[in-house]
Amino acid sequence: MPSRTGAGSGRSLPEFGLLLLVIFVLLEGSLLPLGAASSTSKSCEEAKQGHTEVHNFTKKAFPVLGVDYGHIKNPFEISLWVLLACLMKLGFHLIPRLSSIVPESCLLIVVGLLVGGLIKLAREEVPPVLDSKFFFLYLLPPIILDAGYFLPIRPFMENLGTILMFAVIGTLWNAFFIGGLLYGICQISNSDLTAIGILPCLLFGSIISAVDPVAVLAVFEEIHINELLHILVFGESLLNDAVTVVLYHLFEEFSVDGSVTVLDGILGVISFLVVALGGVLFGAMYGFLAALTSRFTSHTRVIEPLFAFLYSYMAYLSAEVFHLSGIMALIACGAVMRPYIEANISHKSHTTIKYFLKMLSSVSETLIFIFLGVATVDGRHSWNWIFVTMSVVLCLVARVIGVVGLTFIINKFRIVKLTTKDQFIIAYGGLRGAIAFSLGFLLKEDHFHMRDMFLTAIITVIFFTVFVQGMTIKPLVELLAVKKKQEAKRSINEEIHTQFLDHLLTGIEDICGHYGHHHWKDKLNRFNKKYVKKFLIVSERSKEPQLIAFYHKMEMKQAIQLVESGGGSKLPSAVPSTVSMQNIQPKNPPATTKPAERVLPQLSKGREEEIRKILRSNLQRTRQRLHSYNRHTLVADPYEDGFSDLILKKQRMMAIDKKIKEMTNYLTVPAAAPDSPTMVRARLASDPQSYNMKPVSGGVPTIQVDLASPQSPDSVRLLDELGEADGKEQEKDQGLTMKLPGGSSRPNKPGETENTREQQKLTRCLSDPGPSADEDEDEPFLP
Amino acid sequence: METALIKYLCRFIKNKNTKTDNLILFRYSFTEWPDVKESSIEATFLQKSSRHRLMLSSLTQSAVLCVSVSSSHLLRLYERFESLDRENRGHLRKEDFQAVRELSMNPVGDRIIGSFFSPGQETVDFPSFVQVLAHFRHTENDRIRDGAQKEPANSTARRLKFVFQLYDQDRDGKISRAELLQVLREMLGMQVTEEQLQSIAERAIQEANQEANQDKDDAISFDEFRKSMEKVNIDHKMSIRFLE
């Protein structure tokens, strides 16, 4: 009890105190039942105990209320940990000042330390939370998959040479430099360190030398550094896995054996190639499988996202079976499957994948850091001043020398040279993390009597890099004025020009007869387009060029943003309603009926009775359809493809939004600004004559045509999806509200009410030849 | 190989009947590779004939001292030029470019070829060839140039201008909607409907206008173009290792 209040009062912030209180309550919840169970912590025995208890119950009278904590112990504790992690993450972002000074990873480790200490106070044993098996099988994959799936391919490939150089040569250098010098130091010092051989030292070096992706991600995500540096450090941390795996296994083997031959060295090199390439191969294979599977999921959209996760996890596990680099497999799998999967699955499934990945990886990351803290408290430590300080110093020195030396070589080949600042950040960003700890944890006590000392040193290095470097890197980035990340928002122009440049450079390279980067990229693209895409992507999507896909994505994003921000005021009134229908906004029915109500009173001429009927029935059916729930398909899914087209149209309407004012002037409407649709509508309702310049009867048939026959290619496309009927309804519905601007060569006034558009259309029909002008609608309107 | 280049130089001057402005052009195009000692080629060149020496020396007096050739690269380019020029005419024609197989497959290949030919001309000689390729030469950012010298072809602005002119086929200083559509059509091929192309072009133009806060005309001006390319590291992108 006193320790708790002490810790609580240490923080002045009330929120933090509250937060801690929450932890304690949670802990109490987890600890007291544990005490009651008073069993050993090993899960197998736990299960056995559960069995015997059940057995005992049968003899007694029927228990009305039984307590069987052992039965749920494991999942319960896991849930508690996850909950704790999530609450912590939540808490840190509630305290504004804290998260801007201290990186989350540091705070989480501190929390882990506190929790571990508390557990230790409450009872002797701390659960082996950062168990290597648990770490490598469950905690690590989500983070790596997240990294691989969202890997920025372009910068990654452009800098692949540099990244590989740092990852392979740099890590090797680090391992041997640290290992070798440590051995030397151990020999010089006159303590019991002299007993440590060269191989354990090298093993230690190979464990401690690898930059950790989890730590790098956690820190670099907060400092918003420019893309190049980010991908260099992050890419290195991902790709050095193969080197680490091989070195680790190599030295572990040899340390047990005690001898190394030249042959072993050669085998090690071969093994490295096998591990790295094998991992990539496994990953790519599963990636292609995932892509292929997703081709056929159009009828069961709900399980789509799962395939992405399952295949990548399988890739990881399969690679691990052969001691290949699981991390490389995951990266390859994620990177390979992403473009195809994105093209195949529905937009919602894609969002699901994105969210789920982010969620899993952030939980894993949080857990890892907390566990790191807990494990620190838990482990047996043997602190040796010389060894520990020398490891920290050597780590830093090796990193700096490695980066500077390698950059010197790399810069001879790079077009964009790495400046001194860049080198500094790369060197400084070499954080170590939980992977190193887990590898150290894996060492067997009977072969390595110095395991505890190793672990202590590893933890110290991790803490040093995460705390000291992690906390100071942000101010340093500011101080050095390192280029920050630019706004990621890409414009369509940029996309067009970038592609154009790609073609241009390929062409110029061809003229020069130089087969460089662009040439091979072009070749690959061609191959991809010609064969792979056809094979892996649902037929109608496979031909979609990248630019179009990008365009759709952008449109979609913008439309959703508009809807979410309630930015309907700028859009035509019909647009938000249609979009919201797609997005399953709660206000659906009223929103859909609104345009109808608005339209109906205005069509006061001959045929609109029919229109009204069609419209009404359609709306009703749509509404019914929306309410019905199907377990296996999400209701709005059938529209997915059509959706983007709808937005496309809406965008076009927005595009002419600015020309509208001229239009209104031309039409001699008193209303200048379309700011308030209701106002305008009222005005129009009171004075419809201002628009009725020409006899309208001639125009009515045109309206009908628009309604009845879906003439644009979009409408046809809409139909191929599942809910054909829905598609039709949607199309018709849209036919009235959306198609008008598409069909008219004059800019309409999206901000106006439906009747305005109708009227404009009618007038237009008289002055212009009809649908042939379909494509000219982009032309500026000149009165 | 160096002698081949010299031979070309001589032939070039002979063919053109020692027109000094051509020679200046030639020299100018070579100044795009300013980073190597100037003397090497010039010295050999001067030995060739006294007549040329005369002319050259007169040129040398006027700021042409900067003639210098990053000889290895230039030689390599000349080699390439010769291999493209199959009939040994000393100049290239459009057909010569089209004979490059990859280029004929390039969606914007015709534009690229067109960029080598100044308007109205049927052929391109080595200096102009080099001059166009000079846009793609990579330079260190920190190289200090004489203020008096003309802006190098691989400066950011000139590069942008070069790309811009690839779009702007009628050279009226802006990319009209039709021109943009044409480019899009070439790049996207037959895979998209005309309507999609229209909407993309529409959007691109609208966006460019918006971003630059400028005239609401139906085209992309150079300023707007430059603005939209601000985020692209053009110096990085438009550099080919080979031309270093």
Side-chain angles (χ1 to χ4, degrees), chain B residues 159-182:
Chain B
R159 280 177 169 171
L160 275 175
K161 195 87 196 163
F162 180 79
V163 179
F164 185 76
Q165 274 169 1
L166 284 179
Y167 282 96
D168 179 25
Q169 293 285 294
D170 61 5
R171 312 229 161 174
D172 62 348
K174 50 189 161 192
I175 305 172
S176 69
R177 176 189 300 276
E179 280 163 347
L180 187 64
L181 263 178
Q182 185 61 33

Side-chain angles (χ1 to χ4, degrees), chain B residues 106-158:
Chain B
N106 196 316
V108 294
D110 284 338
R111 274 166 202 274
I112 297 171
I113 295 172
S115 69
F116 281 88
F117 297 89
S118 41
Q121 273 199 322
E122 290 293 298
T123 58
V124 54
D125 48 21
F126 186 58
S128 341
F129 181 74
V130 169
Q131 217 174 330
V132 171
L133 290 181
H135 287 108
F136 296 92
R137 191 171 160 271
H138 173 252
T139 38
E140 300 296 316
N141 294 333
D142 48 13
R143 174 167 299 134
I144 304 147
R145 299 187 139 269
D146 308 327
Q149 254 179 13
K150 226 183 146 191
E151 208 181 356
N154 54 359
S155 72
T156 312
R158 297 249 331 250

Side-chain angles (χ1 to χ4, degrees), chain B residues 17-80:
Chain B
N17 257 336
T18 64
K19 265 191 195 159
T20 33
D21 48 337
N22 269 322
L23 195 64
I24 288 171
L25 175 76
F26 183 71
R27 290 175 146 268
Y28 167 68
S29 70
F30 276 48
T31 58
E32 306 298 347
W33 271 266
D35 46 354
V36 179
K37 284 158 222 97
E38 51 199 65
S39 47
S40 64
I41 283 194
E42 200 171 357
T44 10
F45 185 49
L46 289 179
Q47 288 163 6
K48 286 285 165 185
S49 87
S50 55
R51 192 164 128 249
H52 295 148
R53 181 193 298 182
L54 249 174
M55 193 185 60
L56 259 175
S57 60
S58 71
L59 282 173
T60 319
Q61 284 159 9
S62 61
V64 209
L65 247 173
C66 52
V67 172
S68 59
V69 179
S70 152
S71 40
S72 62
H73 287 124
L74 202 54
L75 284 173
R76 222 173 333 155
L77 275 189
Y78 183 64
E79 233 173 299
R80 180 67 184 167

Side-chain angles (χ1 to χ4, degrees), chain A residues 154 413 415 489 491-493 497 500 503 505 507 510-511 513 545 548 554-555 558 648 652 655 778, chain B residues 80 102 106-108 116 138 166-167 177 191-192 195 198-199 202-204 207-208 229 231 236-237 241:
Chain A
R154 208 183 167 112
F413 300 98
I415 287 182
K489 190 193 144 217
S491 63
I492 186 94
N493 272 308
H497 301 326
F500 187 81
H503 287 307
L505 279 169
D510 290 335
I511 286 178
I548 297 286
M554 211 164 93
E555 298 285 316
Q558 200 163 14
L648 210 132
R652 246 183 287 147
D778 318 71
Chain B
R80 180 67 184 167
E102 288 91 352
N106 196 316
V108 294
F116 281 88
H138 173 252
L166 284 179
Y167 282 96
R177 176 189 300 276
Q191 302 147 328
V192 247
E195 198 181 338
Q198 292 274 2
S199 53
E202 160 71 35
R203 178 159 178 139
E207 196 184 80
M229 294 291 274
K231 284 181 206 150
H236 178 194
K237 273 214 114 54
R241 301 210 57 84

